[in-house]
């Protein structure tokens, strides 16, 4: 049996089959199971990633903008855990359902500001760096909206979410149990 391949040559993740058994939905036998518990294997790895997040928070970028960036990168990478987490955080921060649902097609919607559009385009360019090589015209558009310092921190936010995506996809971290803003509370306690 061969795996389906997406347009960019990356194997698509298998979808769970759901079958109807009376009035209950029962998942088929290939239920997602965590491979590695990232939080407990080596706390130093998580602390290092949280250090990136701390630097990003200190930059003062708008939380709503960062929520969109994190969601968009997670959509591209197919990280179910991060999509679950950041959609919950975005809603808790006041983001609308309409903007979250339209995010995958942001270019065709009127819901996003020029600054958000620049950040989303930059997110796509950096997330797909092997394909895009981060073109100069994208850089010029993002520089119209962000100072150099903001751009460095926006780039760091994109690097960070791509790192989290890769860690969670590799570990097969199971989505669903995240409670909105629980990581923000963890950061505040430190």
């Amino acid at each position: 049996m061969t795996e389906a391949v997406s347009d960019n040559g990356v194997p698509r993740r298998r979808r769970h089959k759901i079958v109807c058994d009376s009035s209950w939905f029962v998942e088929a036998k290939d239920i997602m199971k965590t491979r590695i518990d990232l939080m407990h294997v080596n706390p130093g790895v998580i602390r290092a990633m949280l250090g990136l997040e701390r630097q990003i928070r200190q930059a003062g970028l708008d939380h709503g903008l960062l929520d969109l960036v994190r969601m968009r990168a997670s959509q591209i990478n197919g990280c179910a855990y991060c999509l679950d987490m950041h959609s919950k955080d975005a809603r808790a921060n006041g983001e609308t359902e309409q903007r979250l649902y339209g995010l995958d097609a942001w270019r065709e919607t009127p819901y996003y500001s020029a600054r958000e559009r620049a950040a989303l385009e930059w997110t796509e360019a950096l997330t797909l760096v092997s394909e895009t090589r981060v073109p100069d015209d994208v850089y010029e558009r993002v520089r119209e909206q962000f100072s150099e310092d903001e751009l460095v921190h926006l780039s760091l936010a994109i690097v960070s979410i791509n790192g989290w995506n890769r860690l969670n996809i590799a570990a097969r971290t199971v989505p669903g149990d995240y409670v909105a803003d629980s990581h923000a509370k963890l950061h505040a306690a430190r």
Side-chain angles (χ1 to χ4, degrees), residues 121-176:
E121 188 172 22
W122 191 246
T123 300
E124 291 177 355
L126 268 63
T127 300
L128 299 169
V129 69
S130 68
E131 295 173 26
T132 69
R133 310 304 302 165
V134 189
D136 289 339
D137 62 322
V138 174
Y139 171 77
E140 294 303 326
R141 283 191 292 277
V142 78
R143 280 293 286 129
E144 290 173 7
Q145 299 294 325
F146 292 87
S147 70
E148 282 187 348
D149 185 64
E150 289 174 324
L151 181 56
V152 167
H153 283 93
L154 176 61
S155 299
L156 185 60
I158 297 164
V159 166
S160 179
I161 190 56
N162 276 284
W164 286 116
N165 288 167
R166 282 150 178 77
L167 285 170
N168 283 301
I169 290 168
R172 287 207 180 128
T173 308
V174 178

Side-chain angles (χ1 to χ4, degrees), residues 4 11 16-18 21 34 53 57 62 72 79 83 102-103 107 121 128 132 135 137 139 143-144 154 167 169-170 178:
H16 299 299
K17 295 178 185 175
I18 298 179
D21 179 24
T34 302
E53 297 296 332
R57 261 194 338 277
D62 178 67
R72 185 66 192 118
C79 184
L83 284 167
L103 191 56
R107 285 178 176 84
E121 188 172 22
L128 299 169
T132 69
D137 62 322
Y139 171 77
R143 280 293 286 129
E144 290 173 7
L154 176 61
L167 285 170
I169 290 168
Y178 178 77

Side-chain angles (χ1 to χ4, degrees), residues 3-4 7 15 17 20 24 33-34 47 60 62 68 76 90 102 113 119 134 137 144-145 151 155 163 177 181:
E3 284 190 33
D7 294 337
R15 305 221 187 264
K17 295 178 185 175
C20 185
W24 297 93
K33 292 184 180 153
T34 302
R47 278 195 298 272
D62 178 67
L68 294 175
I76 293 166
S113 69
V134 189
D137 62 322
E144 290 173 7
Q145 299 294 325
L151 181 56
S155 299
D177 292 336
D181 287 334

Side-chain angles (χ1 to χ4, degrees), residues 98-130:
Q98 183 179 44
R99 284 168 41 98
L100 289 176
Y101 297 150
L103 191 56
D104 192 36
W106 64 268
R107 285 178 176 84
E108 290 82 35
T109 63
Y111 318 137
Y112 308 98
S113 69
R115 185 171 167 91
E116 290 167 336
R117 289 175 179 284
L120 292 169
E121 188 172 22
W122 191 246
T123 300
E124 291 177 355
L126 268 63
T127 300
L128 299 169
V129 69
S130 68

Side-chain angles (χ1 to χ4, degrees), residues 63 93 126:
H63 292 289
N93 290 331
L126 268 63

